[in-house]
Amino acid sequence: MARNSGICSILGGLVAFGALTGCSGPDDSWTVTETTPTPTPTPTQANNGPSLFAGKTKRSVDKVAPVAGGTLLVTKDGYAVASDPDRDLVHVVDLAKQSVVSVPLEVDDEPGRVVEGPAGVVYVAARRGGVVAAVSTAEGTAQRLKVCTAPRGLAYDATLSRLYVACRSGVLAVMNTDSNEVTERFRLDADLRDVLISGDHLAVTRFKSAELMVVSRTGEVLRRSQPRAESITGASVTPSVAFRALGLPGGGVLVGHVDSSNTTLPSGAGAYYGAFCGGSVADVAVSAMDPYGGSDHATLTTLAGTTLGGATGPIDVALAPDGARVAMLATGNSWVANEGVGTPRPVNLWISSVNVLKSGGFNSPCGSVAGSGMGASTRTVTGEPVAVAFDASGNWIAQSREPAQLEFENGARISLAADSRFDTGFAMFHMNTGGGIACTSCHPEAGEDGHTWNFSVGPRRSQTLEGGASSRAPFHWSGDLTTFDDLVDEVMLKRMSLPASVDIHQRAALRDWIDSVPKAPTADDLDADAVERGRELFGNADLACATCHSGADFTDNLPHDVGTGAAFITPSLVDVNVRAPLFHDGCAITLEARFGPCGGGDAHGKTSALTRAQEADLVAYMQSL
């Protein structure tokens, strides 16, 4: 819906400070590593300007993880704790001594969210390691606590000595921190992201839908709502991809998310593009929500919300200890596409007053610069910033992954690691191409946003890139893009209007970085017997599931009309347990709904004779893929 001028938050006014002047880039002196990439076809799309990154390409030989945010915490006793998913380390920085101790985790743990626990302990979610690491800040050691296959959000309740863990699978686990044992496991909707203590209850977000749920301590969902849709242009949008949620003073919740377009999109040049003040198909927004809003307490009220025009996520948010200031960091604004032609780095950090935010006291993003006298400011943080926090004095600290460092509000910096993890493919995937859009806008963490887009050819659901996307050519539901090179030409150069040419080395770097992102972990608490029964059903020739869903990716990469409206490329079933809604139009809200009216009937596998128990067995098997 169109913006209500009376409920524009401080963030809207801040955008006027940070007019996007370009994409951004690595530090001036990064090293180029000459490589011999796997041959790719010669680009067919006309190039859009000077060479991307001045024609330089660097390939990291080590792991480079997608940005998840929420990886920086400052403890009450003066330690800055930074998760490093690239190196599988947790950096513990004594801010008084300016010293760094790096605590090793296991390979591919991919540490994420950090929360403070009992005195001297912080908990870190190992997003791909299936554990929560209890890190001693004084001793520099870590204890592994098995929780679920993909822990994401963490909240600690000191009164009850309980750690709440929100898992990607939908499990909300409760751990007794005195015994370090999981005492309860509640099954909520899949795709959980953050969990917060909210009075007597919990506030839990879901990643792709940006849904905020109020959950009782016994696991009952009491109410739920998305942030109110906010649009700069007045076009229809749907909130999606809740990158980060934090508790506000007084019980509210601050959610940094994306507003995805519902309007019909063309496929021509600039189809996804916006302006410096916003208006892309996936604008970054920040909303303040009241979990107990509404006269009947049946709904959640959005107190204020606005768009960070010209910014792209992933977005991280932080609150000062006294609740007075809020910081918002947009990682996508951290590279310059046209390096070497004088294009400055854009703003990527916004600072404002929480009170003005909650009261909706600023003008719309393209209005006058209201709020400059109310503590509003912007900053361009160096490097590739991925997370932000505040110290005890209310000064912000930003964490950069490349170079690995902390940058302080006074300009000081502390190095966290000396080795470089710059990777051209990673940068291309996350960078703002110039109009408030990036690959990660629709494919957060190299997955997908759960949104069904309205194109001139019909509805098309975003597809995941996790688990080796380049092997699943041809691309798009209709298979209209034959090669990865075609995908770069059509989407990045044309629809996203990247103002630079991309050579074959950079295309190979982008492809290979995407392919380095592993598949999602399988679902939690699966019944092994049900999985095995489902496996047998899946392979049954009469049922014919494996006829099209074949091979390591469970796809033959061929078009088939299975009664769902047209001939579409067989989608991979890898990670299907976290990919709902399903089908090209998103009509199946769950895996179970695949057997419902929109599933194509017996044209889509001969499933009509299955019992409900057999359907459940097939679902269990697909959740294990």
Side-chain angles (χ1 to χ4, degrees):
M1 68 180 184
R3 179 179 307 280
N4 183 329
S5 60
I7 311 200
C8 292
S9 79
I10 185 167
L11 302 179
L14 287 178
V15 173
F17 283 104
L20 184 67
T21 53
C23 307
S24 115
D27 288 344
D28 294 338
S29 58
W30 51 283
T31 303
V32 178
T33 302
E34 293 298 333
T35 61
T36 305
T38 302
T40 56
T42 301
T44 57
Q45 173 73 24
N47 291 324
N48 293 347
S51 297
L52 179 68
F53 300 156
K56 301 174 184 177
T57 301
K58 181 178 178 181
R59 313 284 289 277
S60 177
V61 297
D62 297 303
K63 184 178 72 170
V64 177
V67 178
T71 53
L72 181 63
L73 169 77
V74 177
T75 66
K76 296 181 181 66
D77 53 355
Y79 289 95
V81 182
S83 291
D84 187 339
D86 296 330
R87 299 170 181 81
D88 295 309
L89 298 173
V90 177
H91 305 291
V92 180
V93 183
D94 187 323
L95 294 177
K97 297 178 180 179
Q98 303 280 288
S99 61
V100 181
V101 173
S102 296
V103 182
L105 302 183
E106 292 189 1
V107 174
D108 294 329
D109 266 350
E110 201 169 299
R113 297 285 198 262
V114 188
V115 69
E116 189 165 8
V121 176
V122 297
Y123 296 104
V124 182
R127 292 163 51 85
R128 293 189 182 273
V131 302
V132 170
V135 176
S136 168
T137 53
E139 298 176 5
T141 58
Q143 180 182 2
R144 299 173 67 80
L145 310 174
K146 189 170 181 58
V147 180
C148 57
T149 59
R152 276 175 160 176
L154 302 172
Y156 175 67
D157 189 326
T159 303
L160 300 176
S161 297
R162 295 292 185 269
L163 179 70
Y164 296 90
V165 184
C167 305
R168 185 174 184 176
S169 66
V171 166
L172 178 64
V174 185
M175 177 176 289
N176 182 324
T177 55
D178 293 330
S179 63
N180 287 336
E181 295 181 351
V182 174
T183 58
E184 295 174 288
R185 297 170 72 85
F186 304 118
R187 171 66 64 175
L188 306 182
D189 295 323
D191 202 34
L192 302 185
R193 182 67 165 191
D194 281 309
V195 56
L196 313 169
I197 306 297
S198 181
D200 294 332
H201 303 310
L202 305 170
V204 182
T205 60
R206 297 178 66 206
F207 184 46
K208 292 183 291 187
S209 66
E211 188 175 49
L212 175 64
M213 301 183 292
V214 177
V215 181
S216 73
R217 298 296 181 111
T218 58
E220 179 186 2
V221 177
L222 303 176
R223 60 188 69 85
R224 62 175 76 208
S225 181
Q226 291 176 298
R228 183 180 56 242
E230 302 282 352
S231 172
I232 291 175
T233 63
S236 173
V237 296
T238 295
S240 65
V241 190
F243 282 115
R244 188 74 163 116
L246 290 177
L248 283 166
V253 176
L254 188 67
V255 183
H257 61 93
V258 172
D259 280 330
S260 298
S261 172
N262 295 322
T263 59
T264 300
L265 303 177
S267 59
Y272 303 164
Y273 195 81
F276 81 88
C277 58
S280 81
V281 298
D283 279 332
V284 173
V286 180
S287 298
M289 301 183 69
D290 178 4
Y292 305 102
S295 58
D296 60 358
H297 281 195
T299 59
L300 288 76
T301 301
T302 301
L303 301 173
T306 196
T307 301
L308 288 178
T312 62
I315 185 173
D316 196 31
V317 294
L319 290 166
D322 61 2
R325 301 175 81 197
V326 59
M328 298 139 287
L329 177 71
T331 294
N333 283 25
S334 301
W335 294 268
V336 173
N338 296 330
E339 185 190 19
V341 296
T343 305
R345 293 169 59 92
V347 163
N348 53 21
L349 180 67
W350 290 257
I351 313 292
S352 73
S353 157
V354 171
N355 288 335
V356 177
L357 164 64
K358 293 177 67 175
S359 66
F362 264 33
N363 293 339
S364 62
C366 288
S368 60
V369 186
S372 58
M374 294 181 253
S377 63
T378 60
R379 186 75 169 258
T380 301
V381 179
T382 58
E384 297 177 4
V386 294
V388 64
F390 283 94
D391 65 17
S393 300
N395 298 309
W396 59 261
I397 305 173
Q399 176 193 0
S400 168
R401 62 161 301 278
E402 173 63 31
Q405 66 180 19
L406 299 182
E407 180 174 336
F408 297 82
E409 187 163 357
N410 64 7
R413 300 175 191 173
I414 294 178
S415 176
L416 300 176
D419 62 312
S420 173
R421 294 294 173 100
F422 183 86
D423 186 275
T424 297
F426 169 94
M428 291 172 66
F429 187 84
H430 289 85
M431 71 180 298
N432 186 336
T433 60
I437 191 73
C439 298
T440 191
S441 299
C442 304
H443 299 282
E445 300 176 13
E448 40 80 21
D449 59 4
H451 191 62
T452 299
W453 302 88
N454 294 313
F455 286 95
S456 54
V457 295
R460 295 292 185 269
R461 167 77 163 76
S462 298
Q463 294 178 297
T464 188
L465 301 179
E466 289 179 295
S470 73
S471 66
R472 301 195 285 268
F475 302 106
H476 286 179
W477 285 95
S478 61
D480 56 302
L481 301 178
T482 304
T483 67
F484 186 83
D485 202 60
D486 295 333
L487 190 68
V488 172
D489 289 337
E490 175 63 25
V491 177
M492 196 166 198
L493 295 181
K494 186 177 178 183
R495 300 185 191 183
M496 294 169 61
S497 296
L498 177 68
S501 62
V502 182
D503 65 29
I504 61 171
H505 301 283
Q506 293 167 336
R507 291 162 183 260
L510 175 60
R511 178 200 62 211
D512 292 348
W513 180 80
I514 292 173
D515 282 350
S516 75
V517 178
K519 68 176 290 293
T522 57
D524 286 299
D525 303 333
L526 292 176
D527 182 327
D529 292 337
V531 170
E532 185 55 36
R533 291 193 299 268
R535 186 194 311 275
E536 292 178 1
L537 285 169
F538 190 88
N540 185 291
D542 293 333
L543 201 59
C545 298
T547 301
C548 302
H549 293 287
S550 57
D553 283 338
F554 293 89
T555 173
D556 59 7
N557 295 324
L558 296 173
H560 300 280
D561 186 344
V562 293
T564 57
F568 298 111
I569 300 297
T570 305
S572 169
L573 294 185
V574 173
D575 294 347
V576 72
N577 63 300
V578 290
R579 291 219 313 271
L582 305 173
F583 298 126
H584 73 283
D585 55 0
C587 68
I589 304 303
T590 63
L591 263 173
E592 290 79 3
R594 172 261 175 269
F595 300 101
C598 77
D602 280 352
H604 190 189
K606 297 178 176 61
T607 60
S608 61
L610 293 176
T611 66
R612 289 296 176 87
Q614 289 174 318
E615 290 177 1
D617 289 342
L618 268 175
V619 167
Y621 174 62
M622 288 188 285
Q623 287 179 317
S624 74
L625 300 179

